[in-house]
Amino acid sequence: MNHSSTNRKWFAFTTQEIILMAMLAAVNAVITVYIGPVNKLLSSLGGPIATSTTTGIYMVYGLLAYYIIRKPGTAVVTYAIGGTIQAMTGTVYGIASCFVAAACYMVIAEIIFAAVRYRNWSTGVLMLVGGAMVPLWFVFAANMFGYTAWPIGVLGIALVVRILSGIFLCGLLTKVLGEALAKTGLLRRFAVSAKG
């Protein structure tokens, strides 16, 4: 009974929820454009390790959507929309990277939220998801962008920095933004307001 109930919830989104996911994905696409110059500056100052500090910002929109909507499949839809928008608007990293990154993020997020049965929305769980979404994409990115040519020490430090960025600039920031938005009353028709 519970199993079939959970299955029915998959992708059973309201129009408002779909609009919210699309809006967050669109905002992410805009933010990504502005992060580009920042990353160039960071690269000139500290190379791949410095640019790794912004990693969490690229993922926060999907996790924020999940925190607000709290339905299975939220990461799949939101990151798919985000990847598509980025691919259509253009990216210096190539179209393939948009979809591969989105796939990596959605898989990890869905697995972890399924593991906690979509009931635990604590800061700790959000920070766990934010950090956990990084390594899988890092493996693909390392092969797609030639990170494997970096010295092993630099590669390791870059991964750690990216995970920390995911923990704080994705996980923790999601909690902060989600609570701030909920307090405004704008999210009263979403699960985040109903369940706290």
Side-chain angles (χ1 to χ4, degrees):
M1 182 71 72
N2 290 337
H3 180 67
S4 60
S5 175
T6 299
N7 284 341
R8 282 197 296 270
K9 283 197 249 177
W10 268 89
F11 303 107
F13 298 110
T14 66
T15 301
Q16 285 183 322
E17 289 167 346
I18 293 171
I19 290 172
L20 176 69
M21 289 187 278
M23 286 177 60
L24 289 173
V27 169
N28 173 73
V30 173
I31 291 173
T32 299
V33 171
Y34 288 100
I35 293 179
V38 174
N39 274 338
K40 284 184 180 179
L41 176 62
L42 289 172
S43 181
S44 65
L45 294 174
I49 294 174
T51 57
S52 295
T53 59
T54 62
T55 297
I57 298 173
Y58 290 95
M59 308 183 298
V60 70
Y61 73 101
L63 188 56
L64 180 58
Y66 224 136
Y67 180 67
I68 294 170
I69 296 170
R70 305 187 177 190
K71 287 183 180 179
T74 301
V76 173
V77 176
T78 310
Y79 283 122
I81 295 172
T84 302
I85 292 174
Q86 286 180 28
M88 291 190 326
T89 56
T91 171
V92 296
Y93 302 110
I95 292 176
S97 69
C98 299
F99 294 110
V100 176
C104 291
Y105 300 155
M106 67 176 69
V107 166
I108 300 302
E110 294 295 349
I111 288 173
I112 295 177
F113 284 123
V116 298
R117 300 185 177 184
Y118 314 100
R119 294 175 183 168
N120 190 337
W121 305 97
S122 66
T123 304
V125 168
L126 293 173
M127 292 173 76
L128 170 64
V129 176
M133 285 193 290
V134 173
L136 182 58
W137 165 234
F138 187 77
V139 171
F140 281 98
N143 288 283
M144 292 173 72
F145 304 134
Y147 297 172
T148 50
W150 298 350
I152 188 66
V154 172
L155 197 64
I157 294 171
L159 175 58
V160 170
V161 171
R162 287 177 186 223
I163 291 173
L164 290 173
S165 179
I167 290 170
F168 293 104
L169 292 184
C170 180
L172 182 59
L173 185 57
T174 288
K175 187 69 171 180
V176 172
L177 290 174
E179 289 187 348
L181 287 170
K183 286 178 182 177
T184 66
L186 294 172
L187 304 178
R188 60 185 178 278
R189 296 187 179 183
F190 295 93
V192 65
S193 294
K195 300 173 183 177

